[in-house]
Amino acid sequence: MGAIVQQVSTLLGVLVGVLCSYLATRASERERWRREHAVRWSDRRVEVYASYADAVKRMGHISLRICAAHGFGAKVEPLSPDEGISMLAAADADRSVKWELLLLLGNRSTVTAARAYNEVVWQLEKAAKGSEVASEDFDVLVREAGRARDAFYAAARRDLALHPD
C-alpha cells in the first residue's frame, strides 16, 4: 500500500507542477499580448494625431494665405481666393477623413482639444471666404489658432504618455 501512496503523491506532484507551469505561461502570454496590443494602438494614435494636426494646419495656412490676399496682416505669401478656395475645399475633405480616425482612436480630452483647434481654423476659413472680420479680431483669431494647436498637442502627448507638460 505504501508504494501506491508514493506513486499517487508523485503523480499529484507532477500534475500540480504542470498546472502551475500552464497557469504561469498563460499569464505571461496574456501580459505580453496586452503590452504588444497597447504599443500597436499607441503607434497608430501617434500617426492619427500627427496626420490630423497636419491636415488642420494645412487648412489654416491656406486660409491665412487667402486672408493675406484680402489685406489682412498675415505674414504669408498671398493666395488668390479663386485658386485658394479649391485648395481649401480639398484640404477640408482630407481633414474630414482624418477627423473620423481621430474620433475612433483618440481619447476624450484629445478629441475635445482637436475639436477646439478645428473650430478656430473654421473661423479663419470663414474669413478667407469673405466673412466680415475686423483686423484686430483677425489677429486675435490667429493667436487663438496657435493656442488651440498647442492645447491639442499637449492633450495628444498626455494620451500617449510621451512626456508631461
Side-chain angles (χ1 to χ4, degrees), residues 17-37:
V18 167
L19 181 62
C20 287
S21 177
Y22 168 76
L23 292 175
T25 301
R26 183 173 176 220
S28 175
E29 287 298 313
R30 182 181 300 149
E31 185 57 33
R32 185 176 62 81
W33 182 87
R34 284 182 185 154
R35 278 193 310 271
E36 288 173 0
H37 183 72

Side-chain angles (χ1 to χ4, degrees), residues 34-155:
R34 284 182 185 154
R35 278 193 310 271
E36 288 173 0
H37 183 72
V39 167
R40 180 174 56 245
W41 286 110
S42 181
D43 289 347
R44 184 67 177 126
R45 280 195 317 274
V46 167
E47 293 170 17
V48 167
Y49 291 166
S51 176
Y52 181 76
D54 178 62
V56 175
K57 185 176 180 179
R58 195 169 342 108
M59 282 188 61
H61 186 70
I62 294 167
S63 296
L64 287 175
R65 290 185 63 199
I66 296 169
C67 287
H70 289 309
F72 287 104
K75 298 175 182 168
V76 293
E77 182 181 339
L79 178 64
S80 75
D82 293 337
E83 182 182 356
I85 296 300
S86 64
M87 291 172 64
L88 199 52
D92 187 44
D94 181 50
R95 183 215 47 86
S96 181
V97 168
K98 292 173 180 175
W99 171 246
E100 296 303 322
L101 287 171
L102 191 135
L103 285 174
L104 179 66
L105 296 178
N107 72 359
R108 181 174 295 158
S109 64
T110 306
V111 169
T112 299
R115 184 173 281 123
Y117 182 25
N118 196 43
E119 287 173 4
V120 174
V121 170
W122 275 339
Q123 296 302 315
L124 287 173
E125 180 183 11
K126 286 180 185 178
K129 290 180 176 178
S131 179
E132 293 294 320
V133 177
S135 182
E136 358 13 279
D137 293 338
F138 178 78
D139 293 338
V140 168
L141 196 56
V142 171
R143 284 192 300 276
E144 284 179 15
R147 282 192 292 271
R149 183 195 62 228
D150 292 345
F152 168 71
Y153 283 131

